[in-house]
Amino acid sequence: LNPSAPVDEWSGDAGCAVQYFPQVAVNRLAQAAGIPLDQNRTVPERLKDVQALMEKGDPAAASVFETIGVYLGYTLPLYAEFYDIEHLLILGRVTSGKGGDLILKTAGDILKKEFPEMRKLLWKDKFWAQSFCLVSTGVVDDHIFNEYINSQGRKENISKK
């Protein structure tokens, strides 16, 4: 572990994912990138400030989101050493907008290039966008649900069992 890794305020552990992916990471990386943040604003408000800079094409803001994408691209294979990952859903305000797109693109590029065995987490060589949603108001068993997910990007119909 990096001896200067950020420490989680709840557990006291260094190097926890909670310090590398959510809005606290954006705030820490923005400061390291030289983006001045108003410390009187809340962490979510500062995230919005960095996202606004990203929407305007600010290169320092882009470096923040690209770095989080690198974290994600190298962390998922590590998680796969411990968990059998079949599907991955990435949520959170950090993954919205152009910054979120850059996070997912960067992570996907790393997985395709350096961890081809992880390609199964991608859909058409990309992560699913956060805008996809599956909602059911009826009875759907695991078979139909898994068939739906596994058929994404294919022209075959989903069974109506």
Side-chain angles (χ1 to χ4, degrees):
L1 282 176
N2 180 344
S4 61
V7 175
D8 176 48
E9 70 261 13
W10 291 356
S11 69
D13 295 331
C16 297
V18 70
Q19 294 294 318
Y20 291 90
F21 302 115
Q23 56 197 8
V24 68
V26 172
N27 279 257
R28 188 180 63 258
L29 292 169
Q31 291 174 10
I35 298 172
L37 297 174
D38 181 350
Q39 297 303 311
N40 293 320
R41 292 173 56 79
T42 65
V43 170
E45 290 171 330
R46 293 190 305 245
L47 166 62
K48 289 180 183 179
D49 294 341
V50 178
Q51 288 175 319
L53 290 171
M54 180 67 189
E55 293 297 320
K56 294 177 185 174
D58 184 278
S63 73
V64 168
F65 294 103
E66 185 175 34
T67 300
I68 293 173
V70 170
Y71 293 161
L72 183 61
Y74 286 103
T75 300
L76 289 174
L78 177 65
Y79 287 172
E81 293 291 321
F82 301 95
Y83 305 103
D84 184 22
I85 303 172
E86 291 184 24
H87 302 286
L88 181 68
L89 178 62
I90 299 174
L91 300 171
R93 174 98 169 115
V94 172
T95 61
S96 63
K98 289 182 180 179
D101 293 344
L102 184 56
I103 290 170
L104 298 179
K105 179 190 178 316
T106 303
D109 289 347
I110 289 169
L111 291 179
K112 286 185 288 190
K113 182 178 180 182
E114 299 188 38
F115 304 96
E117 70 279 8
M118 299 291 294
R119 192 176 214 121
K120 68 179 182 174
L121 296 178
L122 305 175
W123 180 69
K124 292 187 175 182
D125 289 333
K126 294 181 173 53
F127 281 107
W128 278 22
Q130 69 275 3
S131 61
F132 287 95
C133 178
L134 174 65
V135 178
S136 172
T137 58
V139 176
V140 178
D141 63 18
D142 288 346
H143 170 76
I144 297 295
F145 181 73
N146 287 328
E147 188 177 353
Y148 172 81
I149 290 173
N150 292 324
S151 71
Q152 296 305 296
R154 293 190 214 130
K155 294 188 185 213
E156 304 98 41
N157 290 326
I158 300 170
S159 67
K160 308 245 189 252
K161 297 177 190 174

